[in-house]
Amino acid sequence: MRRYIAKRVAHALFIMWLVATSVFFGLRAIPGGPVRAMLGQEGTPEARRRIREQLGLDEPWYVQYGDWMTDLLVFDFGSSITSSESVSAIISQAAPRTFSIGIVAVVVGLSIAIPAGVVSATRKREPVDYVATVAAFLGLSMPAFFVGILLALVFGVWFDLLPIVGYTPLKEGIRPWFEHILLPGIAVGLPYGAVVMRMMRSSLLEVMDEPYMKTALAKGVRSRVRLYKHALQNAMIPVVTVAGIQLALVLVGSVTVELVFGIQGLGRTLVDSMIDRNYPVTQAVILLVAAVLVFTNLAVDIAYTAIDPRIRYGGDSS
């Protein structure tokens, strides 16, 4: 297992290098640039030249790339082109907001998806199965921002129960933080939960149709024991895979939801930086999101052995 983890970490670092390189050259391949974004069409050649020198954009591409990769080794993301503020400071302000939405979304999604998937599978073709299936399809068909608008309209405008704009840091109190993050979290969590619920249902139905489950039934094993000790454990492996992969859906959904609820998280920060051609901020945000996805997939692979001890990687017995 240790050898496998070391290989996967090395692979993850290689992927991060590819992402960093792709982002660096991809941004510079887009027409325009930070100088045009700052000066518009009216800037004089002298002003453009001066700003390019200040930003280091007059250096050859290999020098800029070398400086970028060298700074990454010490986690120095540079400064914002538009505000001269440290990129690390910008990320440290925006990331907790997005991750707060993501945490609430995952908790809400899994809290609904796992029980609903189990009930739907164990009561196949009963009314509760049809209700759960319709609800899942509704969750799949409605984008997160639309769910957010509905939630804001109902709970923020009609009933005035929760705030619908802004964000309160956790250090200012759990309750105000939770009140501001609950609706965005639910908006992102419902589509996420719909995907996981469908996988939970289909995976559990497949496992329950296996020969060993029929053998357990023939031996008189109680239904609760068959479900929780035998079926559910084996059915969770594809569910964990989908739940981990679908974290990308949580991060992507938070971009539009942040706009709906007026939260300056990573999503809005990324959109604003791309509009302004703010290379350092854009590169840092994309790298952070990529790191979350890459290392989440690593954690999912390791979690397989906890779910099913029979799984071993790389021929290791440890």
Side-chain angles (χ1 to χ4, degrees):
M1 173 62 79
R2 289 189 293 270
R3 188 186 312 159
Y4 172 78
I5 294 177
K7 290 181 180 179
R8 284 300 309 270
V9 169
H11 181 262
L13 293 177
F14 176 71
I15 293 297
M16 293 304 300
W17 172 77
L18 286 179
V19 172
T21 301
S22 300
V23 170
F24 178 87
F25 290 106
L27 287 176
R28 286 155 180 79
I30 299 175
V35 176
R36 178 176 296 181
M38 295 171 66
L39 297 179
Q41 300 293 335
E42 306 301 327
T44 64
E46 177 62 24
R48 294 176 184 275
R49 183 188 62 79
R50 186 168 59 252
I51 291 180
R52 288 182 61 85
E53 290 179 354
Q54 292 174 354
L55 299 178
L57 298 177
D58 59 328
E59 299 285 351
W61 66 267
Y62 51 85
V63 174
Q64 297 183 48
Y65 177 73
D67 292 341
W68 160 240
M69 298 306 297
T70 301
D71 291 340
L72 281 184
L73 294 177
V74 294
F75 298 99
D76 181 6
F77 300 104
S79 300
S80 169
I81 289 177
T82 56
S83 65
S84 299
E85 185 179 1
S86 169
V87 173
S88 297
I90 296 174
I91 297 298
S92 65
Q93 293 177 0
R97 307 178 184 191
T98 297
F99 291 153
S100 295
I101 295 175
I103 291 172
V104 173
V106 170
V107 171
V108 169
L110 295 181
S111 299
I112 296 174
I114 302 300
V118 172
V119 171
S120 182
T122 54
R123 299 185 181 181
K124 183 180 178 182
R125 296 177 182 174
E126 294 184 15
V128 67
D129 180 29
Y130 295 129
V131 171
T133 300
V134 171
F137 280 121
L138 286 176
L140 289 170
S141 62
M142 293 190 298
F145 77 89
F146 180 71
V147 178
I149 292 173
L150 292 180
L151 292 174
L153 181 64
V154 174
F155 294 99
V157 178
W158 290 354
F159 296 104
D160 195 23
L161 295 176
L162 293 168
I164 58 175
V165 177
Y167 172 81
T168 300
L170 184 58
K171 63 182 179 181
E172 296 185 13
I174 295 179
R175 180 173 179 177
W177 169 83
F178 187 70
E179 288 178 345
H180 280 85
I181 215 68
L182 180 58
L183 293 183
I186 293 175
V188 179
L190 290 181
Y192 172 76
V195 176
V196 178
M197 180 266 172
R198 294 300 300 166
M199 177 55 66
M200 181 76 254
R201 179 183 183 275
S202 60
S203 178
L204 189 56
L205 284 174
E206 182 178 351
V207 170
M208 291 173 66
D209 199 39
E210 291 289 336
Y212 68 85
M213 291 298 298
K214 296 178 181 179
T215 302
L217 176 62
K219 288 183 176 181
V221 179
R222 290 181 299 173
S223 59
R224 186 178 296 272
V225 175
R226 293 200 314 272
L227 174 62
Y228 291 105
K229 186 176 181 179
H230 301 289
L232 194 58
Q233 184 175 9
N234 291 297
M236 284 300 296
I237 293 177
V239 174
V240 169
T241 302
V242 171
I245 295 174
Q246 286 297 315
L247 284 178
L249 178 66
V250 173
L251 294 175
V252 172
S254 67
V255 174
T256 53
V257 169
E258 287 170 9
L259 296 174
V260 171
F261 290 94
I263 299 175
Q264 188 66 37
L266 289 176
R268 290 191 62 184
T269 300
L270 177 61
V271 172
D272 293 342
S273 66
M274 292 186 70
I275 293 175
D276 296 335
R277 298 294 194 273
N278 197 337
Y279 292 161
V281 176
T282 303
Q283 293 169 168
V285 173
I286 293 177
L287 273 182
L288 178 59
V289 173
V292 171
L293 298 179
V294 168
F295 287 100
T296 296
N297 287 331
L298 174 60
V300 167
D301 285 348
I302 296 173
Y304 289 160
T305 59
I307 297 173
D308 189 347
R310 296 172 300 176
I311 296 177
R312 290 290 183 266
Y313 293 115
D316 291 343
S317 59
S318 59

